[in-house]
Amino acid sequence: MAEPQEDCTYPSMFGEAQVFNVEASDGTPLRMLYIGDGFQSATFVGPRRMEPPFAYCRAFDRLLEIKPNARRVLMLGGGAFSYPKHALTSYPQLQMDVVEIDPAVIDIARRHFFLDELEQQCGNRLQVFAADGLEFLRDVEPGTYDAIINDCFAGIVQDAPLLSAEGMRLTQRALCADGVYMLNGLAENASDPTDWETLDSIKKVLDFYFFGVVREPVVDQEFFGNVNHIFIGRQISTLDVFFQ
């Protein structure tokens, strides 16, 4: 089990990875992961270590409201495994495959963010893959997953290949007939129109490939005031096409 440690730095694919300890506004100990140009993840330290500190991670639970019978979930972008820790310890029916492109980040998650403990608790309900998300999807059998969560960023920029035509078609293929797709988009600066144009372009892409796509803003007052936008859509069926 990871314990509070001195600040550490590691090389990673996207620049220097820094791990350091701070306190939340209520005094709860936190451990932060900062890579390249921005914060990537965080964990509480102590009894709340399996809870996700960031509001957008908690918002991923909308998946279980939309599809309560979900069993097999793919998460693209593991980071410090904040959401998998919460999901797998809160919903014992879930199995999660988590794909993280950077082996260094997986190692950091094991050393400092309680991934080692999660693996011990969950056994084969958690499978961790050090792989590129697009390449991973190419090898997935059709209809494998009840839900796919895309939390992939190249630094602080949304991972473009997963939103390409190939990425979207592979995602569709990997989902079951009534599968749900979720994506985390970041509006880092609410006054910057470029951020909103990027979010609008993501919505247009998802509208083409998924049915009933909604965009739900999640404001995190505790951490930097960032506004994440959770996109949610479901697999398009023949009936959906007929009634559009």
Side-chain angles (χ1 to χ4, degrees):
M1 183 188 301
E3 294 295 340
Q5 301 176 31
E6 296 296 323
D7 296 353
C8 302
T9 59
Y10 302 90
S12 80
M13 291 177 64
F14 301 101
E16 186 177 72
Q18 302 175 50
V19 178
F20 54 92
N21 296 300
V22 296
E23 287 187 351
S25 58
D26 63 359
T28 304
L30 281 169
R31 185 168 300 145
M32 311 293 288
L33 176 61
Y34 188 96
I35 299 178
D37 294 326
F39 285 97
Q40 295 297 311
S41 195
T43 184
F44 291 113
V45 177
R48 298 175 62 190
R49 61 190 174 277
M50 296 299 173
E51 298 178 25
F54 292 159
Y56 83 87
C57 280
R58 297 192 294 273
F60 285 149
D61 273 355
R62 286 277 287 120
L63 164 66
L64 279 305
E65 298 173 19
I66 297 166
K67 191 171 175 60
N69 64 338
R71 293 294 180 270
R72 191 150 186 210
V73 177
L74 171 63
M75 186 156 194
L76 300 169
F81 287 73
S82 185
Y83 186 68
K85 284 192 304 181
H86 164 70
L88 288 166
T89 55
S90 300
Y91 303 99
Q93 78 276 16
L94 288 185
Q95 300 177 45
M96 292 191 77
D97 292 345
V98 183
V99 178
E100 168 56 50
I101 193 171
D102 193 344
V105 172
I106 296 173
D107 183 60
I108 290 168
R110 289 196 172 107
R111 287 171 178 262
H112 300 283
F113 292 87
F114 307 101
L115 174 57
D116 54 349
E117 181 181 358
L118 182 67
E119 289 176 318
Q120 291 169 13
Q121 283 189 24
C122 295
N124 61 11
R125 289 202 299 126
L126 170 64
Q127 299 294 323
V128 179
F129 300 89
D132 174 81
L134 190 64
E135 292 180 5
F136 182 88
L137 285 171
R138 290 183 182 130
D139 294 328
V140 171
E141 292 294 321
T144 296
Y145 295 105
D146 298 310
I148 294 176
I149 301 171
N150 179 356
D151 194 23
C152 283
F153 290 83
I156 59 172
V157 180
Q158 195 75 42
D159 185 69
L162 287 171
L163 291 171
S164 67
E166 181 189 14
M168 288 287 90
R169 291 186 183 118
L170 289 172
T171 300
Q172 284 181 313
R173 187 186 71 168
L175 281 168
C176 65
D178 60 345
V180 174
Y181 179 75
M182 301 185 74
L183 178 143
N184 172 33
L186 176 62
E188 194 177 30
N189 185 349
S191 63
D192 185 349
T194 305
D195 276 9
W196 298 97
E197 289 170 7
T198 299
L199 293 170
D200 289 342
S201 67
I202 291 172
K203 176 70 161 56
K204 288 177 183 177
V205 169
L206 299 187
D207 280 337
F208 186 81
Y209 291 98
F210 295 99
F211 182 74
V213 176
V214 296
R215 184 171 91 188
E216 300 183 355
V218 180
V219 181
D220 203 325
Q221 300 290 359
E222 175 73 16
F223 297 102
F224 325 118
N226 282 350
V227 182
N228 289 72
H229 289 248
I230 305 300
F231 296 83
I232 307 167
R234 62 184 176 88
Q235 185 78 295
I236 292 178
S237 68
T238 304
L239 285 176
D240 293 332
V241 174
F242 179 80
F243 284 110
Q244 278 184 325

